[in-house]
Amino acid sequence: MAQFMDIHRGMRGITADQLSAAHQADLAIEEEEGVHFQHAWADPESGTVYCLSEAPSAEAVQRIHERAGHKADEIHPVPLST
Amino acid sequence: MAQFMDIHRGMRGITADQLSAAHQADLAIEEEEGVHFQHAWADPESGTVYCLSEAPSAEAVQRIHERAGHKADEIHPVPLST
């Protein structure tokens, strides 16, 4: 399993409830692709959301995000961390 | 204190040792600006590094990064998280 950071743009004005609902929508189906979404952070002002996940591939992360209704704009493997 | 996500680009080929050294350079001086760098993640292939911090402002985060020798390309407050 590898770790991935993905970025969603254009989410200006996102609320805490909307972030939570989006994260829950991912969690509800993530097992079907062997993905686990660990954290999400949002900046409502710039409309940027960052998600950290463990997954077999970037494609698996994207399939869950797409099915949950919020395709990522960028997905990067992050093999290094501190 | 607020939480911030910052992004460094152009770090292609960064190694685990280099990421660790960069993070340590931040930690060594972060208190002077009331900042705490909590995590960093790196994608050596795209050359992208993400840092999560707690800080009084984005400017404080940037001052530490600049003095440590690695100015951030983007710094976003992330008031929402899961």
PDB file of all heavy atoms in Angstrom, chain A residues 24-47:
ATOM      1  N   GLN A  24     -17.351  11.241   4.245  1.00  0.00           N
ATOM      2  CA  GLN A  24     -18.157  10.053   4.564  1.00  0.00           C
ATOM      3  C   GLN A  24     -18.556   9.290   3.302  1.00  0.00           C
ATOM      4  O   GLN A  24     -18.613   8.055   3.306  1.00  0.00           O
ATOM      5  CB  GLN A  24     -19.421  10.455   5.354  1.00  0.00           C
ATOM      6  CG  GLN A  24     -19.138  10.890   6.785  1.00  0.00           C
ATOM      7  CD  GLN A  24     -18.429   9.819   7.627  1.00  0.00           C
ATOM      8  OE1 GLN A  24     -18.734   8.639   7.525  1.00  0.00           O
ATOM      9  NE2 GLN A  24     -17.461  10.223   8.420  1.00  0.00           N
ATOM     10  N   ALA A  25     -18.828  10.015   2.228  1.00  0.00           N
ATOM     11  CA  ALA A  25     -19.197   9.361   0.965  1.00  0.00           C
ATOM     12  C   ALA A  25     -18.028   8.531   0.431  1.00  0.00           C
ATOM     13  O   ALA A  25     -18.219   7.454  -0.139  1.00  0.00           O
ATOM     14  CB  ALA A  25     -19.623  10.419  -0.060  1.00  0.00           C
ATOM     15  N   ASP A  26     -16.804   9.033   0.633  1.00  0.00           N
ATOM     16  CA  ASP A  26     -15.615   8.249   0.258  1.00  0.00           C
ATOM     17  C   ASP A  26     -15.481   7.024   1.156  1.00  0.00           C
ATOM     18  O   ASP A  26     -15.263   5.902   0.682  1.00  0.00           O
ATOM     19  CB  ASP A  26     -14.341   9.103   0.405  1.00  0.00           C
ATOM     20  CG  ASP A  26     -14.198  10.166  -0.662  1.00  0.00           C
ATOM     21  OD1 ASP A  26     -14.615   9.919  -1.813  1.00  0.00           O
ATOM     22  OD2 ASP A  26     -13.660  11.244  -0.340  1.00  0.00           O
ATOM     23  N   LEU A  27     -15.609   7.234   2.467  1.00  0.00           N
ATOM     24  CA  LEU A  27     -15.412   6.138   3.424  1.00  0.00           C
ATOM     25  C   LEU A  27     -16.416   5.005   3.192  1.00  0.00           C
ATOM     26  O   LEU A  27     -16.096   3.833   3.375  1.00  0.00           O
ATOM     27  CB  LEU A  27     -15.555   6.650   4.866  1.00  0.00           C
ATOM     28  CG  LEU A  27     -14.524   7.653   5.366  1.00  0.00           C
ATOM     29  CD1 LEU A  27     -14.790   8.005   6.832  1.00  0.00           C
ATOM     30  CD2 LEU A  27     -13.097   7.139   5.212  1.00  0.00           C
ATOM     31  N   ALA A  28     -17.620   5.379   2.753  1.00  0.00           N
ATOM     32  CA  ALA A  28     -18.680   4.388   2.594  1.00  0.00           C
ATOM     33  C   ALA A  28     -18.346   3.343   1.529  1.00  0.00           C
ATOM     34  O   ALA A  28     -18.833   2.217   1.577  1.00  0.00           O
ATOM     35  CB  ALA A  28     -19.997   5.085   2.254  1.00  0.00           C
ATOM     36  N   ILE A  29     -17.507   3.725   0.533  1.00  0.00           N
ATOM     37  CA  ILE A  29     -17.241   2.794  -0.574  1.00  0.00           C
ATOM     38  C   ILE A  29     -15.761   2.487  -0.753  1.00  0.00           C
ATOM     39  O   ILE A  29     -15.385   1.711  -1.623  1.00  0.00           O
ATOM     40  CB  ILE A  29     -17.814   3.336  -1.913  1.00  0.00           C
ATOM     41  CG1 ILE A  29     -17.235   4.734  -2.247  1.00  0.00           C
ATOM     42  CG2 ILE A  29     -19.340   3.395  -1.841  1.00  0.00           C
ATOM     43  CD1 ILE A  29     -17.611   5.242  -3.639  1.00  0.00           C
ATOM     44  N   GLU A  30     -14.897   3.076   0.076  1.00  0.00           N
ATOM     45  CA  GLU A  30     -13.451   2.964  -0.151  1.00  0.00           C
ATOM     46  C   GLU A  30     -12.936   1.530  -0.145  1.00  0.00           C
ATOM     47  O   GLU A  30     -12.008   1.193  -0.885  1.00  0.00           O
ATOM     48  CB  GLU A  30     -12.674   3.818   0.872  1.00  0.00           C
ATOM     49  CG  GLU A  30     -12.817   3.333   2.297  1.00  0.00           C
ATOM     50  CD  GLU A  30     -12.037   4.165   3.316  1.00  0.00           C
ATOM     51  OE1 GLU A  30     -11.590   5.280   2.986  1.00  0.00           O
ATOM     52  OE2 GLU A  30     -11.889   3.673   4.447  1.00  0.00           O
ATOM     53  N   GLU A  31     -13.551   0.677   0.666  1.00  0.00           N
ATOM     54  CA  GLU A  31     -13.072  -0.709   0.770  1.00  0.00           C
ATOM     55  C   GLU A  31     -13.161  -1.458  -0.552  1.00  0.00           C
ATOM     56  O   GLU A  31     -12.391  -2.394  -0.785  1.00  0.00           O
ATOM     57  CB  GLU A  31     -13.892  -1.471   1.813  1.00  0.00           C
ATOM     58  CG  GLU A  31     -13.416  -1.261   3.224  1.00  0.00           C
ATOM     59  CD  GLU A  31     -14.176  -2.130   4.232  1.00  0.00           C
ATOM     60  OE1 GLU A  31     -14.868  -3.073   3.808  1.00  0.00           O
ATOM     61  OE2 GLU A  31     -14.069  -1.833   5.429  1.00  0.00           O
ATOM     62  N   GLU A  32     -14.089  -1.053  -1.390  1.00  0.00           N
ATOM     63  CA  GLU A  32     -14.280  -1.763  -2.663  1.00  0.00           C
ATOM     64  C   GLU A  32     -13.065  -1.636  -3.576  1.00  0.00           C
ATOM     65  O   GLU A  32     -12.895  -2.424  -4.502  1.00  0.00           O
ATOM     66  CB  GLU A  32     -15.541  -1.238  -3.363  1.00  0.00           C
ATOM     67  CG  GLU A  32     -16.797  -1.555  -2.555  1.00  0.00           C
ATOM     68  CD  GLU A  32     -18.031  -0.839  -3.074  1.00  0.00           C
ATOM     69  OE1 GLU A  32     -18.117  -0.576  -4.283  1.00  0.00           O
ATOM     70  OE2 GLU A  32     -18.912  -0.518  -2.240  1.00  0.00           O
ATOM     71  N   GLU A  33     -12.228  -0.636  -3.320  1.00  0.00           N
ATOM     72  CA  GLU A  33     -10.995  -0.460  -4.109  1.00  0.00           C
ATOM     73  C   GLU A  33      -9.756  -0.613  -3.233  1.00  0.00           C
ATOM     74  O   GLU A  33      -8.644  -0.297  -3.674  1.00  0.00           O
ATOM     75  CB  GLU A  33     -10.982   0.930  -4.755  1.00  0.00           C
ATOM     76  CG  GLU A  33     -12.071   1.159  -5.790  1.00  0.00           C
ATOM     77  CD  GLU A  33     -11.743   0.571  -7.165  1.00  0.00           C
ATOM     78  OE1 GLU A  33     -10.632   0.040  -7.350  1.00  0.00           O
ATOM     79  OE2 GLU A  33     -12.619   0.654  -8.048  1.00  0.00           O
ATOM     80  N   GLY A  34      -9.946  -1.032  -1.981  1.00  0.00           N
ATOM     81  CA  GLY A  34      -8.788  -1.219  -1.097  1.00  0.00           C
ATOM     82  C   GLY A  34      -8.141   0.096  -0.682  1.00  0.00           C
ATOM     83  O   GLY A  34      -6.961   0.152  -0.361  1.00  0.00           O
ATOM     84  N   VAL A  35      -8.940   1.170  -0.706  1.00  0.00           N
ATOM     85  CA  VAL A  35      -8.441   2.513  -0.374  1.00  0.00           C
ATOM     86  C   VAL A  35      -8.849   2.851   1.061  1.00  0.00           C
ATOM     87  O   VAL A  35      -9.891   2.394   1.532  1.00  0.00           O
ATOM     88  CB  VAL A  35      -9.066   3.565  -1.344  1.00  0.00           C
ATOM     89  CG1 VAL A  35      -8.655   4.982  -0.965  1.00  0.00           C
ATOM     90  CG2 VAL A  35      -8.676   3.245  -2.784  1.00  0.00           C
ATOM     91  N   HIS A  36      -8.012   3.645   1.745  1.00  0.00           N
ATOM     92  CA  HIS A  36      -8.485   4.238   3.004  1.00  0.00           C
ATOM     93  C   HIS A  36      -8.137   5.721   3.043  1.00  0.00           C
ATOM     94  O   HIS A  36      -6.959   6.092   2.962  1.00  0.00           O
ATOM     95  CB  HIS A  36      -7.899   3.539   4.225  1.00  0.00           C
ATOM     96  CG  HIS A  36      -8.355   4.192   5.510  1.00  0.00           C
ATOM     97  ND1 HIS A  36      -9.692   4.417   5.786  1.00  0.00           N
ATOM     98  CD2 HIS A  36      -7.676   4.718   6.552  1.00  0.00           C
ATOM     99  CE1 HIS A  36      -9.798   5.031   6.954  1.00  0.00           C
ATOM    100  NE2 HIS A  36      -8.596   5.238   7.438  1.00  0.00           N
ATOM    101  N   PHE A  37      -9.168   6.546   3.140  1.00  0.00           N
ATOM    102  CA  PHE A  37      -8.957   7.990   3.250  1.00  0.00           C
ATOM    103  C   PHE A  37      -8.693   8.334   4.705  1.00  0.00           C
ATOM    104  O   PHE A  37      -9.543   8.096   5.570  1.00  0.00           O
ATOM    105  CB  PHE A  37     -10.163   8.769   2.696  1.00  0.00           C
ATOM    106  CG  PHE A  37     -10.240   8.683   1.207  1.00  0.00           C
ATOM    107  CD1 PHE A  37     -11.034   7.732   0.584  1.00  0.00           C
ATOM    108  CD2 PHE A  37      -9.459   9.515   0.423  1.00  0.00           C
ATOM    109  CE1 PHE A  37     -11.073   7.628  -0.799  1.00  0.00           C
ATOM    110  CE2 PHE A  37      -9.486   9.427  -0.961  1.00  0.00           C
ATOM    111  CZ  PHE A  37     -10.293   8.476  -1.567  1.00  0.00           C
ATOM    112  N   GLN A  38      -7.504   8.879   4.984  1.00  0.00           N
ATOM    113  CA  GLN A  38      -7.063   9.095   6.356  1.00  0.00           C
ATOM    114  C   GLN A  38      -7.433  10.472   6.886  1.00  0.00           C
ATOM    115  O   GLN A  38      -7.825  10.614   8.038  1.00  0.00           O
ATOM    116  CB  GLN A  38      -5.541   8.905   6.415  1.00  0.00           C
ATOM    117  CG  GLN A  38      -5.124   7.506   5.966  1.00  0.00           C
ATOM    118  CD  GLN A  38      -3.629   7.372   5.825  1.00  0.00           C
ATOM    119  OE1 GLN A  38      -2.993   8.137   5.098  1.00  0.00           O
ATOM    120  NE2 GLN A  38      -3.054   6.402   6.498  1.00  0.00           N
ATOM    121  N   HIS A  39      -7.254  11.490   6.059  1.00  0.00           N
ATOM    122  CA  HIS A  39      -7.543  12.858   6.484  1.00  0.00           C
ATOM    123  C   HIS A  39      -7.958  13.690   5.280  1.00  0.00           C
ATOM    124  O   HIS A  39      -7.561  13.382   4.152  1.00  0.00           O
ATOM    125  CB  HIS A  39      -6.291  13.535   7.079  1.00  0.00           C
ATOM    126  CG  HIS A  39      -5.874  12.980   8.390  1.00  0.00           C
ATOM    127  ND1 HIS A  39      -6.550  13.230   9.553  1.00  0.00           N
ATOM    128  CD2 HIS A  39      -4.842  12.174   8.718  1.00  0.00           C
ATOM    129  CE1 HIS A  39      -5.947  12.601  10.552  1.00  0.00           C
ATOM    130  NE2 HIS A  39      -4.909  11.947  10.070  1.00  0.00           N
ATOM    131  N   ALA A  40      -8.693  14.750   5.573  1.00  0.00           N
ATOM    132  CA  ALA A  40      -8.987  15.755   4.548  1.00  0.00           C
ATOM    133  C   ALA A  40      -8.895  17.126   5.203  1.00  0.00           C
ATOM    134  O   ALA A  40      -9.237  17.277   6.384  1.00  0.00           O
ATOM    135  CB  ALA A  40     -10.378  15.535   3.966  1.00  0.00           C
ATOM    136  N   TRP A  41      -8.380  18.085   4.444  1.00  0.00           N
ATOM    137  CA  TRP A  41      -8.240  19.455   4.936  1.00  0.00           C
ATOM    138  C   TRP A  41      -8.821  20.374   3.871  1.00  0.00           C
ATOM    139  O   TRP A  41      -8.598  20.153   2.677  1.00  0.00           O
ATOM    140  CB  TRP A  41      -6.761  19.833   5.119  1.00  0.00           C
ATOM    141  CG  TRP A  41      -6.018  19.020   6.110  1.00  0.00           C
ATOM    142  CD1 TRP A  41      -5.873  19.289   7.448  1.00  0.00           C
ATOM    143  CD2 TRP A  41      -5.272  17.811   5.870  1.00  0.00           C
ATOM    144  NE1 TRP A  41      -5.089  18.326   8.038  1.00  0.00           N
ATOM    145  CE2 TRP A  41      -4.706  17.413   7.098  1.00  0.00           C
ATOM    146  CE3 TRP A  41      -5.027  17.024   4.733  1.00  0.00           C
ATOM    147  CZ2 TRP A  41      -3.917  16.275   7.227  1.00  0.00           C
ATOM    148  CZ3 TRP A  41      -4.247  15.894   4.858  1.00  0.00           C
ATOM    149  CH2 TRP A  41      -3.700  15.518   6.089  1.00  0.00           C
ATOM    150  N   ALA A  42      -9.503  21.435   4.279  1.00  0.00           N
ATOM    151  CA  ALA A  42     -10.121  22.317   3.289  1.00  0.00           C
ATOM    152  C   ALA A  42      -9.865  23.787   3.582  1.00  0.00           C
ATOM    153  O   ALA A  42      -9.878  24.209   4.744  1.00  0.00           O
ATOM    154  CB  ALA A  42     -11.624  22.071   3.236  1.00  0.00           C
ATOM    155  N   ASP A  43      -9.655  24.521   2.514  1.00  0.00           N
ATOM    156  CA  ASP A  43      -9.547  25.982   2.538  1.00  0.00           C
ATOM    157  C   ASP A  43     -10.741  26.543   1.765  1.00  0.00           C
ATOM    158  O   ASP A  43     -10.719  26.595   0.533  1.00  0.00           O
ATOM    159  CB  ASP A  43      -8.243  26.403   1.855  1.00  0.00           C
ATOM    160  CG  ASP A  43      -8.139  27.910   1.700  1.00  0.00           C
ATOM    161  OD1 ASP A  43      -8.912  28.641   2.352  1.00  0.00           O
ATOM    162  OD2 ASP A  43      -7.266  28.355   0.929  1.00  0.00           O
ATOM    163  N   PRO A  44     -11.811  26.930   2.471  1.00  0.00           N
ATOM    164  CA  PRO A  44     -13.009  27.416   1.776  1.00  0.00           C
ATOM    165  C   PRO A  44     -12.744  28.666   0.943  1.00  0.00           C
ATOM    166  O   PRO A  44     -13.418  28.903  -0.051  1.00  0.00           O
ATOM    167  CB  PRO A  44     -13.979  27.738   2.921  1.00  0.00           C
ATOM    168  CG  PRO A  44     -13.474  26.989   4.102  1.00  0.00           C
ATOM    169  CD  PRO A  44     -11.991  26.928   3.939  1.00  0.00           C
ATOM    170  N   GLU A  45     -11.743  29.467   1.346  1.00  0.00           N
ATOM    171  CA  GLU A  45     -11.498  30.730   0.646  1.00  0.00           C
ATOM    172  C   GLU A  45     -10.926  30.499  -0.755  1.00  0.00           C
ATOM    173  O   GLU A  45     -11.403  31.071  -1.731  1.00  0.00           O
ATOM    174  CB  GLU A  45     -10.552  31.597   1.480  1.00  0.00           C
ATOM    175  CG  GLU A  45     -10.655  33.063   1.122  1.00  0.00           C
ATOM    176  CD  GLU A  45      -9.759  33.921   1.999  1.00  0.00           C
ATOM    177  OE1 GLU A  45      -9.781  33.729   3.232  1.00  0.00           O
ATOM    178  OE2 GLU A  45      -9.023  34.768   1.438  1.00  0.00           O
ATOM    179  N   SER A  46      -9.918  29.645  -0.869  1.00  0.00           N
ATOM    180  CA  SER A  46      -9.363  29.360  -2.203  1.00  0.00           C
ATOM    181  C   SER A  46     -10.110  28.204  -2.867  1.00  0.00           C
ATOM    182  O   SER A  46      -9.912  27.945  -4.057  1.00  0.00           O
ATOM    183  CB  SER A  46      -7.877  29.016  -2.105  1.00  0.00           C
ATOM    184  OG  SER A  46      -7.686  27.752  -1.497  1.00  0.00           O
ATOM    185  N   GLY A  47     -10.929  27.498  -2.082  1.00  0.00           N
ATOM    186  CA  GLY A  47     -11.675  26.371  -2.655  1.00  0.00           C
ATOM    187  C   GLY A  47     -10.835  25.133  -2.881  1.00  0.00           C
ATOM    188  O   GLY A  47     -11.106  24.346  -3.794  1.00  0.00           O
TER     189      GLY A  47
END
